[in-house]
Amino acid sequence: MLNMTKYVNGYMTKWLFFATLVGIGGGISALALNAVIDFVSYWGVMLPLWLAPVIGGVIVSLLYRFDPNVLGSGTPKYIDGVNLYQGEITRRTWLTKLLASSATIGFQGSGGVEGPMVLMGGSLGNFIEKIPLFKRWLDKEDRRILTVCGAAGAIGAIFRSPLGGGIFAAELLYKTSLHYSDMFPAILSSTVGFVIYSTVGDANPLFAMPDYQTNPTNILYYALAGLLAGYASVWFMKLFHKTEEWGDWLVNKGARHYLPILGGALTGVILIFFPEVAGTGTAFIQNLIDASFGTWFLIAILVAKMFASSFTIGFRGSAGLVIPALFIGAVSGSILSNVFVGGGNGLSNALIISGMAASLASIANVPIAAAVLLIEMVGFQVGGSAVVGSVMGYIVGHRRMVYINMRHDDPDYRAAKEFRKLDRYFE
C-alpha cells in the first residue's frame, strides 16, 4: 500500500509539472498562430478573392521543401505520431506548420485551426522532452503523453475550452476508446493553455449567444438537427476523401509540389461566388446565430463550404477540419430552423448548436469532446442541444472518420472494428 501511494504521488507530481509546462507552451502556440494569421489576413484581404488562396498554396508548396509535415490538416500526423511513433513529431514542425497554416488561412483558404494546433502542440511536447534537465524523468511512454498534452494545451487555448481541449486530444486518438492515462494530464495541460491564452488574449467564449432556456418539448428538434448535420457531415467526408484520392493520383503523376496551388486556385473560383466560405468561417457562424438567412442561400453556402474545404485541405493546404465541421453543422441547423420554426429565435440558435455538435461528433468521432467543446464555446444554456446533437451525429457518422490513417494493428482499433461488425443496431 505504501509503495502504491508513493507511485501515485510521484505520478501526480510529475504530471502536474510537465502538463503545466507543456500547457503554457500550448497557450503561447495558440496566441502565435492567431497573431500570424491576423497579420497575413491584413495583406490577404487586399488581394482579389480568386488570387489570395493561390498565394497561400505557393507558400505551402515552398515550405514543403523544408518539412513534409506542413501538408494537409496535421491531425492524421498527430494521430500517427502518438499511436505509431511514441509521440515523435519533429521539432521544426512547430515553426513550419505555423507559417504554412497562417498562409493557407490568412490568404482566404477554407479551413480551421485544430489540425495545425494539435501538430504544433505535439511538436512542442517533443521539444521539452529533449531538454537534458528533463530527459532523466521521462521514458518513451511519457514522451507519448507529452505529445498529447501539447496538443491539448493548444486546443484548449485556441477554442477557449479548458475541459473540451483535453478530452478532444485524447478521444481523437481512437475510434471508441478514451484512455484516462492520456486524458487526465491532457485536461490539466488544456486548462493551463486556456489560462495563458485568456490572460494575454481573449477570454470570451468563441461564439456569443443570447440566453436560452431548454424546453423538453424541443428535444425532438435537437435530434432532427443532429441527424441532418450528421448526414451532411457524412456527405462532406465522402467528398473530402474523394478529393484526397484525386490528390493522390496527381501525386503519382509528379505534381505533389503543386497540389496546394491547385487547391488554392479551385478554392478561389468558389470564393468569387461565395466569399462567406473563405478562411475559418467563424464570423459567418456568428452571423447565423445573430440573424436569419434564406433556405436556398444556406443550402448553396453548405455545398460551397464542403467543396472549398475539400479543395483547400484535400489538396494538401495547411488547415484543420474542425471549424469546417462546425460551419457545416451550423448551416444545417439553421436550415432546419427555417423549415420548422421560422428562424430568428432562441430555439433556432439551439438547433444551430445541436448541428455543430453533431457535425463535429460525426466527422471526428469524438462525441464526448464535441458536447463539452460546444458548451464551453457558447455557454451552458445550450447544454441540452449540444449533448443531443452530439449523440445523434455520432450515431450517424460512427462508421466513418475523416482522419482515416489510424493505426490498424492497435488492439483498440481491432476491437473497435469487431465491435462494429456486431453492432447490428446501427446497420
Side-chain angles (χ1 to χ4, degrees):
M1 184 65 179
L2 184 61
N3 288 337
M4 177 59 70
T5 302
K6 184 178 179 180
Y7 169 77
V8 171
N9 289 340
Y11 176 87
M12 293 300 294
T13 301
K14 179 170 73 174
W15 286 109
L16 277 171
F17 174 76
F18 283 110
T20 299
L21 187 62
V22 177
I24 293 171
I28 293 172
S29 297
L31 289 167
L33 181 62
N34 271 346
V36 181
I37 288 175
D38 289 344
F39 174 78
V40 175
S41 297
Y42 175 81
W43 300 101
V45 295
M46 299 180 184
L47 298 171
L49 270 177
W50 61 268
L51 178 61
V54 178
I55 302 300
V58 170
I59 294 173
V60 173
S61 296
L62 293 173
L63 288 168
Y64 167 73
R65 300 177 184 275
F66 298 95
D67 184 4
N69 286 332
V70 301
L71 298 184
S73 76
T75 305
K77 295 182 178 68
Y78 161 73
I79 294 172
D80 282 351
V82 173
N83 287 339
L84 286 174
Y85 309 116
Q86 293 298 130
E88 182 67 36
I89 298 173
T90 57
R91 285 170 285 174
R92 68 177 179 273
T93 296
W94 189 93
L95 179 59
T96 55
K97 196 66 177 174
L98 169 69
L99 297 176
S101 302
S102 300
T104 298
I105 300 169
F107 282 116
Q108 308 299 313
S110 178
V113 293
E114 139 272 337
M117 280 285 85
V118 295
L119 205 58
M120 289 172 62
S123 174
L124 192 67
N126 274 231
F127 176 80
I128 290 174
E129 187 267 339
K130 300 294 184 183
I131 297 175
L133 179 64
F134 301 146
K135 288 184 70 171
R136 62 185 293 242
W137 302 103
L138 299 167
D139 57 25
K140 288 185 178 180
E141 174 62 16
D142 292 336
R143 183 176 69 185
R144 192 186 70 82
I145 297 176
L146 268 179
T147 302
V148 178
C149 287
I155 292 295
I158 203 79
F159 289 129
R160 275 94 91 182
S161 178
L163 287 177
I167 297 171
F168 179 86
E171 192 176 17
L172 186 67
L173 296 171
Y174 300 101
K175 282 196 171 183
T176 57
S177 300
L178 185 57
H179 292 187
Y180 291 123
S181 60
D182 295 337
M183 188 176 68
F184 290 146
I187 288 177
L188 176 57
S189 184
S190 175
T191 302
V192 173
F194 165 76
V195 170
I196 294 297
Y197 188 93
S198 301
T199 301
V200 180
D202 186 2
N204 294 319
L206 194 61
F207 301 106
M209 177 177 158
D211 288 338
Y212 168 72
Q213 185 65 42
T214 299
N215 188 327
T217 61
N218 292 331
I219 290 179
L220 177 59
Y221 288 124
Y222 303 161
L224 290 174
L227 286 173
L228 177 61
Y231 281 111
S233 300
V234 170
W235 297 332
F236 171 61
M237 284 189 278
K238 290 180 178 180
L239 174 63
F240 179 76
H241 290 151
K242 180 59 68 175
T243 306
E244 283 194 314
E245 290 175 8
W246 295 337
D248 292 339
W249 181 79
L250 290 170
V251 167
N252 292 332
K253 298 294 183 180
R256 179 186 296 273
H257 292 84
Y258 309 106
L259 271 185
I261 303 173
L262 176 60
L266 293 171
T267 301
V269 172
I270 295 173
L271 298 188
I272 294 173
F273 303 97
F274 299 100
E276 296 85 356
V277 305
T280 61
T282 53
F284 185 75
I285 295 175
Q286 186 63 57
N287 288 339
L288 286 175
I289 294 172
D290 295 335
S292 298
F293 294 86
T295 300
W296 287 110
F297 171 75
L298 291 175
I299 293 172
I301 283 290
L302 180 65
V303 174
K305 188 64 175 180
M306 289 183 180
F307 274 97
S309 298
S310 295
F311 288 144
T312 296
I313 309 167
F315 280 160
R316 313 305 192 263
S318 181
L321 288 159
V322 163
I323 296 184
L326 298 180
F327 189 105
I328 290 167
V331 174
S332 299
S334 190
I335 291 171
L336 191 76
S337 170
N338 284 352
V339 173
F340 285 103
V341 299
N345 55 37
L347 176 56
S348 174
N349 288 338
L351 296 182
I352 289 172
I353 301 306
S354 181
M356 292 166 72
S359 187
L360 178 54
S362 178
I363 283 177
N365 281 179
V366 289
I368 300 174
V372 176
L373 278 166
L374 261 298
I375 291 171
E376 291 184 316
M377 284 181 193
V378 181
F380 285 100
Q381 72 267 30
V382 298
S385 58
V387 171
V388 173
S390 179
V391 171
M392 301 309 296
Y394 182 70
I395 289 174
V396 172
H398 78 291
R399 299 173 69 88
R400 289 178 173 271
M401 188 179 185
V402 77
Y403 312 116
I404 57 177
N405 60 335
M406 298 179 71
R407 182 179 176 180
H408 288 249
D409 62 341
D410 187 274
D412 284 338
Y413 183 90
R414 292 199 300 269
K417 187 175 181 180
E418 292 301 316
F419 172 80
R420 281 164 170 73
K421 288 182 180 179
L422 300 174
D423 191 13
R424 300 301 180 189
Y425 182 77
F426 296 129
E427 288 288 347

